[in-house]
Amino acid sequence: DAYDNCITVCNMENVDPLGIHTGESIVVAPSQTLSNKEYNMLRTTAINVIRHFGIVGECNIQYALNPNSEEYYIIEVNARLSRSSALASKATGYPLAYVAAKLALGIQLPDIHNSVTGKTTACFEPSLDYCVVKIPRWDLGKFHRVSTKIGSSMKSVGEVMAIGRKFEEAFQKALRMVDENNNGFDPFVKDPNDEELEKPTDKRMFVLAASIKAGYTIERLYELTKIDRWFLYKMKNIIDLYSVLETTHHMKLSHDVLLLAKQMGFSDKQIAAAVKSSELAVRIQRQESNIRPMVKQIDTVAAEWPASTNYLYLTYNGITHDVDFPGGYTMVIGSGVYRIGSSVEFDWCAVSSLRELRSLGRKTIMVNYNPETVSTDYDMSDRLYFEEISFEVVMDIY
């Protein structure tokens, strides 16, 4: 702010290595592979940079960090609300644009109320008790003669954001959000292919899944992809569970295995495909075993301070609900990821529905997972579920 108060709101990490545009990358918040020393080194530099430029308002800074040393480079500094800022705002629940506008008017950070929590000031650094994964959506199949390779120029047309309590959970949710025909981190979509691992394409994640299934070692995958080993091990956890499910008969699916699969972000449909059953049968068994998702709040303070927020997600890695369910809500289903032929105009329809329902005195629920939209702003609806739009999830919320 104008009085030299400065906080860092969000730290995010690209799964893909340097050389791939951040808009083409899978992004994880908070960063998972930094040591405490590395994190604080980069945080201190960010604060020094923003002070040096004399910026009042919001600014984001991107680094390239050598994984084998503490050498780093500043790639870019954006003193504006960019697409990364929008993602940071949705990922943390911290209203960046609102606060930046107040700062431009000369108001100081401690005097601004955090309108999401309703209780704390804007001078709090958000703490996350969950994991967020953003995946881009490409529509390259709609073009002839277009290279499917991804790199330093941005080709993606939209993005999705998934929230979970484990990386595996959020990652698989996000893969389904990008395309409802995906079952998750599915090893049967593509064949293993060293060239596609080394020179990434829009389908690299599925080649990676197939390669892990085919028995590639983590070291070999690291050499080919340069994706951090931490992420590769997490992906291997998903494929290992696939193998367990495939050797399990659907009549012998135990409570523990089913719960573990749900905690790893497997959908009912995905489990059904692996155990050769149907989505409905898995759903019924799951409900009989009392395996149900818990509704958790994004409160920006990791439940360490009181917060009354309506920004929600579902997880199987929880024990209790964070909110009560009084009923009497009207649910509006969002339009999902932006793609060619379906973009912001459909989000306008969703927002108009919400506003009309509100003017009729109805309480509203919004279900959407696109961080670039107005419908996922916390003040548009009475309850915002940042969740995938599928039969399973919408019925769980209902």
Side-chain angles (χ1 to χ4, degrees):
D1 65 9
Y3 307 90
D4 206 35
N5 298 310
C6 184
I7 65 164
T8 57
V9 172
C10 186
N11 57 298
M12 302 190 277
E13 169 174 20
N14 290 7
V15 171
D16 301 279
L18 181 66
I20 299 176
H21 191 291
T22 190
E24 301 280 274
S25 291
I26 294 178
V27 178
V28 181
S31 54
Q32 304 292 328
T33 67
L34 295 181
S35 67
N36 190 42
K37 189 178 178 190
E38 287 168 333
Y39 169 76
N40 279 299
M41 171 180 79
L42 298 180
R43 180 182 179 277
T44 304
T45 304
I47 290 173
N48 290 343
V49 167
I50 193 170
R51 285 202 165 121
H52 179 77
F53 285 140
I55 292 162
V56 172
E58 188 267 356
C59 176
N60 60 60
I61 181 165
Q62 286 186 30
Y63 297 104
L65 175 70
N66 186 334
N68 305 313
S69 70
E70 288 179 358
E71 175 191 27
Y72 67 91
Y73 290 88
I74 296 173
I75 302 176
E76 59 178 67
V77 178
N78 290 318
R80 61 185 172 86
L81 280 150
S82 65
R83 207 187 330 255
S84 299
S85 319
L87 182 68
S89 191
K90 303 284 185 194
T92 56
Y94 187 96
L96 277 175
Y98 169 84
V99 173
K102 295 274 191 192
L103 297 182
L105 294 170
I107 302 168
Q108 47 185 331
L109 269 171
D111 292 345
I112 302 170
H113 277 282
N114 181 338
S115 44
V116 174
T117 60
K119 303 271 176 26
T120 52
T121 73
C123 214
F124 262 66
E125 295 204 352
S127 45
L128 278 58
D129 53 358
Y130 51 87
C131 173
V132 168
V133 176
K134 177 223 99 176
I135 302 186
R137 174 176 168 116
W138 297 271
D139 263 340
L140 301 178
K142 293 192 175 156
F143 300 100
H144 305 295
R145 304 192 305 277
V146 164
S147 163
T148 57
K149 290 204 169 31
I150 58 173
S152 57
S153 66
M154 187 168 155
K155 296 177 182 175
S156 66
V157 291
E159 61 188 36
V160 305
M161 185 182 106
I163 308 164
R165 285 274 167 113
K166 277 187 168 167
F167 170 76
E168 296 94 327
E169 181 178 40
F171 179 56
Q172 292 222 86
K173 273 189 188 181
L175 285 168
R176 288 193 292 274
M177 290 170 175
V178 170
D179 183 350
E180 58 277 1
N181 299 321
N182 291 342
N183 267 343
F185 193 55
D186 191 337
F188 304 110
V189 175
K190 301 281 282 179
D191 297 320
N193 178 335
D194 284 15
E195 194 190 350
E196 272 198 69
L197 289 175
E198 211 165 343
K199 300 191 174 82
T201 65
D202 55 337
K203 297 274 189 283
R204 170 154 88 162
M205 278 305 133
F206 297 108
V207 178
L208 193 52
S211 305
I212 296 171
K213 187 95 172 103
Y216 281 52
T217 63
I218 298 290
E219 280 309 312
R220 172 122 187 260
L221 290 169
Y222 177 69
E223 286 309 315
L224 288 167
T225 63
K226 289 291 183 262
I227 292 172
D228 195 282
R229 294 177 187 86
W230 188 90
F231 295 115
L232 295 172
Y233 275 111
K234 294 290 177 189
M235 291 169 190
K236 188 173 184 301
N237 290 344
I238 297 170
I239 301 299
D240 289 348
L241 192 52
Y242 247 115
S243 305
V244 171
L245 288 169
E246 281 166 1
T247 56
T248 307
H249 190 269
H250 63 87
M251 301 300 284
K252 298 201 177 87
L253 190 58
S254 70
H255 176 277
D256 292 353
V257 171
L258 188 54
L259 179 61
L260 184 61
K262 296 309 286 182
Q263 288 176 337
M264 289 278 219
F266 281 73
S267 68
D268 291 350
K269 192 173 168 188
Q270 192 180 2
I271 295 166
V275 300
K276 298 180 177 56
S277 176
S278 72
E279 178 180 4
L280 223 52
V282 172
R283 182 179 179 83
I284 290 163
Q285 183 183 345
R286 175 166 69 75
Q287 288 173 335
E288 284 170 353
S289 301
N290 206 23
I291 297 172
R292 290 192 165 90
M294 293 296 155
V295 177
K296 292 289 179 190
Q297 290 177 326
I298 290 188
D299 58 6
T300 75
V301 289
E304 291 168 11
W305 299 85
S308 53
T309 170
N310 61 345
Y311 190 179
L312 312 167
Y313 66 98
L314 303 183
T315 179
Y316 285 87
N317 293 291
I319 303 162
T320 55
H321 292 301
D322 283 1
V323 290
D324 300 321
F325 306 101
Y329 286 88
T330 306
M331 197 191 304
V332 179
I333 309 289
S335 52
V337 64
Y338 287 166
R339 56 195 92 194
I340 291 174
S342 165
S343 183
V344 68
E345 66 277 18
F346 290 97
D347 194 63
W348 179 86
C349 297
V351 171
S352 299
S353 302
L354 289 172
R355 286 181 173 157
E356 187 60 31
L357 285 162
R358 190 170 267 185
S359 71
L360 294 171
R362 306 287 286 273
K363 291 192 295 182
T364 54
I365 287 176
M366 183 74 217
V367 185
N368 203 358
Y369 52 79
N370 184 339
E372 300 178 274
T373 57
V374 176
S375 63
T376 52
D377 284 351
Y378 65 93
D379 54 357
M380 276 294 137
S381 55
D382 293 300
R383 286 201 170 168
L384 166 63
Y385 284 88
F386 218 102
E387 268 303 326
E388 47 183 312
I389 296 168
S390 64
F391 168 76
E392 177 188 335
V393 175
V394 172
M395 291 311 290
D396 282 340
I397 294 169
Y398 180 72

